[in-house]
């Protein structure tokens, strides 16, 4: 059926040059409106501050990647950070109130809108610091994170810290004329030394073999003259305790909300007290508060104090809440001893990603291990230590495995220190989580590990060694 003339005319006019011009102008106007709209600014979701003697960390968690520029200002010392593409919100403003008066390095922080889409943070410092500013991609339960790590210009020396706390004999103290400590005789106010102290005294006097049982007998060292240094000071045993996780890395979390990082720190502190109650023993904690220590740094700290043993303490979780029992692990140079051990090692080795390590400044050599003769000997000694500790823990809790297991735990890779990782219990098991939160059970665990350490040294007297230079 033919269309009416007026409809045919309207159809022809829709494609006229004038019509096209009007449509084009309208489209250009619409495009200019959308172009003029500013890009959405990133939003800060959470702010956290982790003060510690080692360093202070400030974390800004946000919903997108951020670009920053930072510089130091002296007299008085300040760190200035400009963050691009960020909107100032109440969460970011709350950072001001999160700086505590006892923070070792930050006096206060000021937050403001420096210019459109740029927020400026000014950290007023208590002393000069070496800042590290870096970003972390989303991982685990975290979104994007912007990290400020403020390190002292002169890094904290773990040996100096032990000397300050009275847990290390200085060379001057060793050479000061004092009443000699006779082998096997207690000092005033002390209980009689146990087998460990007697062996230490014998080693200091040169009257005891330095090999472990079953080895060829050693040639006794000559007796020191009366009043010599060897007759005054016995060889101290240094133990490094490593409470896992900390700071940005909470570790495993139980059904009731208990966090692994809190539980293991409490157990480590109890264990430190008990070990230091033994003659000739001193203890260094790789962390003594709620802050993150990279895996390689934990090993480095133990080596700096020439630790005789390294004990890492954990309370991990498994995919099934029915998993239960305590375990002891040592390093493996040939692969994990079981599928569960491999899964656990892989899970623990993610700590650096979750806790947050500046990869641009990370010593990758610490993350690997050079398997040589010293590492093989370390693993053999670690197995002996692990068996002694596992035997004692078996007296207070069910064992997940009846033997020491092996896997590639990064934190056990000091080639010259016998090292074990103790899984105190599964925090993912509701019954064991309740135990781990109980002060009495924590005390029992500390007692059991202490007895295991004593058992190990009773069968494996420590070798004589020189002072760090």
């Amino acid at each position: 059926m033919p269309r009416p003339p007026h409809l045919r005319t309207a159809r022809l006019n829709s494609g006229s040059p004038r019509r096209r011009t009007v449509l084009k102008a309208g489209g250009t106007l619409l495009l200019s409106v959308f172009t003029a709209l500013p890009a959405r600014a990133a939003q800060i979701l959470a702010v956290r501050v982790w003060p510690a003697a080692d360093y202070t960390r400030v974390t800004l968690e946000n919903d997108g990647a951020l670009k920053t520029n930072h510089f130091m200002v002296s007299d008085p010392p300040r760190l200035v950070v400009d963050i691009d593409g960020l909107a100032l919100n109440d969460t970011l403003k709350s950072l001001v109130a999160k700086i505590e008066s006892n923070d070792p390095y930050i006096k206060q922080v000021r937050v403001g809108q420096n210019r459109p889409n740029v927020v400026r943070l000014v950290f007023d410092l208590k002393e000069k610091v070496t800042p590290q500013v870096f970003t972390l991609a989303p991982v685990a339960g975290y979104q994007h994170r912007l990290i400020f790590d403020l390190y002292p210009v002169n890094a904290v020396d773990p040996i100096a810290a032990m000397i300050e706390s009275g847990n290390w004999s200085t060379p001057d103290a060793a050479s000061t004329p004092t009443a000699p400590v006779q082998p096997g005789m207690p000092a005033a106010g002390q209980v009689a030394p146990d087998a460990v102290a007697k062996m230490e005294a014998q080693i200091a006097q040169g009257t005891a073999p330095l090999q472990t049982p079953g080895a060829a007998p050693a040639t006794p060292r000559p007796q020191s003259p009366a009043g010599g240094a060897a007759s005054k000071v016995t060889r101290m045993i240094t133990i490094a305790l490593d409470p896992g996780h900390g700071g940005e890395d909470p570790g495993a979390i139980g059904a009731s909300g208990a966090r692994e990082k809190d539980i293991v720190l409490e157990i480590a502190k109890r264990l430190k007290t008990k070990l230091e109650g033994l003659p000739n023993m001193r203890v260094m904690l790789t962390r003594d508060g709620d802050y993150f220590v990279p895996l390689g740094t934990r090993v480095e700290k133990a080596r700096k104090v020439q630790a005789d043993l390294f004990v890492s303490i954990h309370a991990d979780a498994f995919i099934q809440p029915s998993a239960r029992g305590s375990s002891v692990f040592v390093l493996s140079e040939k692969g994990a001893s079981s599928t569960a051990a491999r899964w656990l090692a892989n899970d623990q080795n993610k700590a650096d990603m979750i806790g947050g390590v500046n990869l641009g400044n990370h010593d990758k050599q610490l993350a690997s291990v050079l398997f040589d003769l010293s590492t093989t000997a370390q693993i053999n000694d670690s197995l002996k230590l692990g068996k002694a500790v596992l035997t004692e823990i078996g007296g207070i809790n069910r064992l997940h495995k009846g033997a020491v297991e092996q896997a590639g735990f990064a934190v056990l890779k000091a080639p010259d220190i016998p090292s074990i990782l103790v899984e105190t219990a599964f925090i993912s098991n509701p019954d064991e989580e309740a135990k781990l939160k109980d002060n009495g059970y924590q005390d029992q665990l500390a007692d059991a590990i202490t007895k295991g350490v004593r058992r190990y040294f009773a069968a494996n007297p420590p070798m004589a060694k020189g002072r760090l230079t």
Side-chain angles (χ1 to χ4, degrees), residues 9 15 64 102 117 145 171-172 184 198 249 251 265 293-294 297 317 321 397 413:
T9 303
N102 62 348
N117 287 329
R145 284 176 289 171
D172 291 341
K198 289 179 181 178
D249 178 17
L265 180 59
V293 181
T297 303
N397 192 34
K413 291 184 177 180

Side-chain angles (χ1 to χ4, degrees), residues 53 91 93 307 428:
T91 302
K93 290 178 182 178
S428 53

